[in-house]
Amino acid sequence: MSHTEAAPGSSLSAHRRRRELTEAADGRTVDVLVVGLGATGAGATLDAAARGLDVVAVDAHDLAFGTSRWSSKLIHGGLRYLASAQFDVAHESAVERGVLMTRTAPHLVAAQPFMLPLTPLVSRGQASLAWAGLRAGDMLRLAARTPRPVLPAPRRLSATEARHLAPAVRAAGLRGGLLSWDGKVTDDAALVTALARTAAAHGARVLTRVRALELTGTGARVRDELTGEEGEIRARAVINATGVWAGTLADGIRIRPSRGTHLVLRSQQLGALPAGLHIPVPGETNRFVLVLPQGDGRVYVGLTDEPVEGAIPDVPEVPETDIGFLLDVLGSALDVPVGRDEVVGAFAGLRPLLDTSTGGSPDHTSDISRRHAVLTSPDGVTIVVGGKLTTYRRMAQDAVDTAVAARGLRATPSPTATLPMTGAASPERLRALPVPRRLVRRYGTEAVAVHALATHDPTLAEPVLPGHPVTRAELLWAVRHEGALDESDLLDRRTRIGVVPEDRAQALPVAREILGKAAAVHP
């Protein structure tokens, strides 16, 4: 493979989509049809393809269009589930975190330090409880066999050390801090893209902008959202992985969506942040607001856990009540509170929580288990619901296991716990790549090819907009190899530019220029 090529067979493009959509609807029967290309659906597509099955996957929109692009970008080790005695969920989370960090995606998932500042609002009893929780979380790491060099041990910090990690935290009354580590994904949408491209490299047909109008146990009636043409995809097994929208294609599924909101701030507003922050929510013992530096000139502050009633929108809106709540909690720990006018963006995702309560619904969505479930509809569709980003791989494996058994398909056991994604390599090899570290954290071994695009066209080395690190080369790579079809794909999912509306508007002409450049080469 040359420095300007993608991994063999992994490139997604408009040309490949057109060809494979025609093949998928030609009347033959494939082994597995997956509907939904978020983390779980893309994971199921890879799982089935890696077992040697003939797979087609469709999504009405784009890769990671729904919940999977609105996460906190954290790969949690399961600490919060210990507090509610969900020991199986906690252990599963820690195991899956270790799989991502050490085997399947070490280029995308790395250790993230967090500091809990011990302000006067944190009592000594609360601090002791938090420290015990962090120690328990380290035991989860040990039980999951994640090496200590991958995730360092928690430790106590002096007030001076705490201020060094977070100069914006109020100094008055600060007793110190508690330092801990968890997993963080460079970009949740990039993780989904890597999954989809790895599946494509194993022969899967990954088709965005293809809406499933009707699902049965033997296939789906679909519509090409770009042309309006309708057709049928026949399959021996069908997996509904549409997450919070699962109920729109299946009867009897009770989903209680929970809205998680994040604010977007400019990094200079909080100063240098070598670590993220856990800020306790006043009056609650096991709930925190997270401050998450992104390394691109922005900081995310989140998140809420609010029930959502009524129709489920494609893109959730952020209510002012969520913004006010997050700013209030943030202000409880800072020297200079952040004002509403300093919030440059905000986004919300809907968690697809499965409501299994029998004696009445829980009062809060935070009380609903993050366990996942794999169900089979009366007409034979396999439905995977619940869960969370961290455990997508196990959810996908369980869904494919169920579909294979129910439909009598011949397949090998799942290999995905040890199957590297596109771009993955050992830490030593990644460190040796002669390109900027930011590109390595996003593209892994393919960073060399992305970087090399600018050697043929120096204008591609220019940033998409001033003050943001994404280059024009990355947009071109997204069109040629990551299946981006329009400006929204480029700005809202292949990059994170779009989470700040002002930046999105400024970058839009460049995105259109790159799409035109790519179309001129591959119409």
Side-chain angles (χ1 to χ4, degrees):
M1 186 173 71
S2 76
H3 286 335
T4 57
E5 293 177 353
S10 70
S11 292
L12 300 176
S13 65
H15 175 74
R16 179 170 179 170
R17 174 192 176 277
R18 287 193 297 270
R19 171 172 53 83
E20 293 190 341
L21 178 54
T22 300
E23 293 173 356
D26 67 359
R28 69 190 184 88
T29 301
V30 301
D31 291 325
V32 179
L33 169 64
V34 178
V35 181
L37 282 166
T40 303
T45 304
L46 172 56
D47 191 284
R51 299 186 194 208
L53 297 170
D54 186 12
V55 186
V56 172
V58 301
D59 194 286
H61 300 287
D62 182 30
L63 302 174
F65 180 85
T67 305
S68 293
R69 63 169 159 148
W70 301 130
S71 77
S72 293
K73 316 299 176 278
L74 294 180
I75 301 298
H76 285 294
L79 176 59
R80 64 171 293 185
Y81 310 114
L82 288 181
S84 54
Q86 298 179 58
F87 301 113
D88 55 342
V89 180
H91 182 259
E92 181 178 83
S93 298
V95 168
E96 293 302 322
R97 178 183 64 183
V99 166
L100 282 162
M101 297 184 76
T102 63
R103 298 176 223 165
T104 63
H107 60 308
L108 287 172
V109 183
Q112 169 68 42
F114 283 95
M115 194 265 289
L116 192 164
L118 300 179
T119 69
L121 293 178
V122 181
S123 71
R124 296 190 181 277
Q126 287 176 309
S128 296
L129 187 62
W131 177 245
L134 296 180
R135 295 293 299 273
D138 194 50
M139 295 304 294
L140 276 177
R141 175 209 58 80
L142 180 64
R145 300 183 178 179
T146 303
R148 170 68 72 214
V150 173
L151 279 172
R155 68 183 184 90
R156 299 177 186 271
L157 302 174
S158 68
T160 300
E161 289 173 316
R163 286 278 292 173
H164 174 74
L165 288 179
V169 169
R170 188 175 299 119
L174 185 67
R175 306 192 305 275
L178 303 179
L179 180 67
S180 60
W181 300 77
D182 211 341
K184 179 177 181 293
V185 64
T186 301
D187 184 336
D188 44 9
L191 177 66
V192 176
T193 301
L195 285 167
R197 292 185 59 217
T198 309
H202 281 79
R205 294 171 178 82
V206 178
L207 307 173
T208 59
R209 305 304 200 285
V210 176
R211 182 180 298 275
L213 301 172
E214 182 181 354
L215 276 188
T216 69
T218 57
R221 185 166 60 89
V222 301
R223 181 175 66 222
D224 182 346
E225 296 290 72
L226 298 183
T227 66
E229 296 180 8
E230 295 187 11
E232 183 181 1
I233 299 176
R234 299 176 182 176
R236 296 178 180 87
V238 177
I239 297 175
N240 178 347
T242 55
V244 75
W245 295 276
T248 63
L249 291 170
D251 295 328
I253 302 296
R254 290 197 303 168
I255 300 290
R256 288 198 68 198
S258 165
R259 184 182 62 246
T261 294
H262 293 81
L263 311 182
V264 185
L265 309 175
R266 302 289 189 192
S267 295
Q268 61 265 30
Q269 292 169 275
L270 297 178
L273 276 177
L277 297 177
H278 287 138
I279 301 178
V281 175
E284 302 196 31
T285 58
N286 191 40
R287 192 176 172 197
F288 302 87
V289 162
L290 307 177
V291 179
L292 302 154
Q294 297 300 303
D296 62 356
R298 297 155 172 184
V299 175
Y300 296 163
V301 177
L303 71 172
T304 59
D305 198 337
E306 299 296 329
V308 175
E309 306 294 341
I312 301 171
D314 283 347
V315 178
E317 293 186 3
V318 176
E320 284 294 326
T321 51
D322 283 10
I323 296 175
F325 166 78
L326 292 170
L327 289 177
D328 287 346
V329 177
L330 185 63
S332 73
L334 299 185
D335 257 336
V336 181
V338 176
R340 176 65 180 85
D341 59 339
E342 297 174 277
V343 177
V344 295
F347 59 89
L350 300 180
R351 305 175 185 88
L353 305 182
L354 179 64
D355 188 356
T356 58
S357 58
T358 55
S361 298
D363 292 333
H364 304 286
T365 48
S366 58
D367 296 329
I368 300 179
S369 172
R370 266 50 173 178
R371 290 182 178 89
H372 68 271
V374 179
L375 315 170
T376 302
S377 72
D379 59 355
V381 176
T382 299
I383 306 165
V384 55
V385 288
K388 53 203 176 65
L389 179 67
T390 303
T391 58
Y392 83 87
R393 191 206 64 81
R394 183 56 188 268
M395 295 169 66
Q397 176 183 322
D398 289 351
V400 176
D401 281 346
T402 299
V404 164
R407 311 305 283 188
L409 302 180
R410 298 182 61 182
T412 61
S414 173
T416 56
T418 56
L419 181 64
M421 292 181 211
T422 299
S426 68
E428 293 76 21
R429 184 181 173 198
L430 293 174
R431 282 195 295 268
L433 294 175
V435 292
R437 293 300 91 192
R438 187 190 68 81
L439 291 181
V440 175
R441 288 192 294 271
R442 172 60 174 77
Y443 301 97
T445 55
E446 291 188 324
V448 177
V450 177
H451 192 61
L453 288 174
T455 63
H456 303 288
D457 182 352
T459 65
L460 293 175
E462 298 173 5
V464 174
L465 72 162
H468 196 280
V470 171
T471 66
R472 292 168 177 245
E474 293 173 71
L475 298 191
L476 183 60
W477 181 267
V479 177
R480 288 182 177 175
H481 302 291
E482 296 182 337
L485 301 179
D486 63 16
E487 299 95 334
S488 294
D489 292 356
L490 289 175
L491 300 180
D492 301 334
R493 287 170 291 278
R494 301 307 180 277
T495 69
R496 306 298 296 179
I497 291 172
V499 297
V500 176
E502 179 185 356
D503 291 350
R504 190 186 195 281
Q506 189 174 352
L508 198 55
V510 178
R512 289 172 177 161
E513 177 189 331
I514 295 297
L515 286 163
K517 184 190 294 280
V521 178
H522 298 287

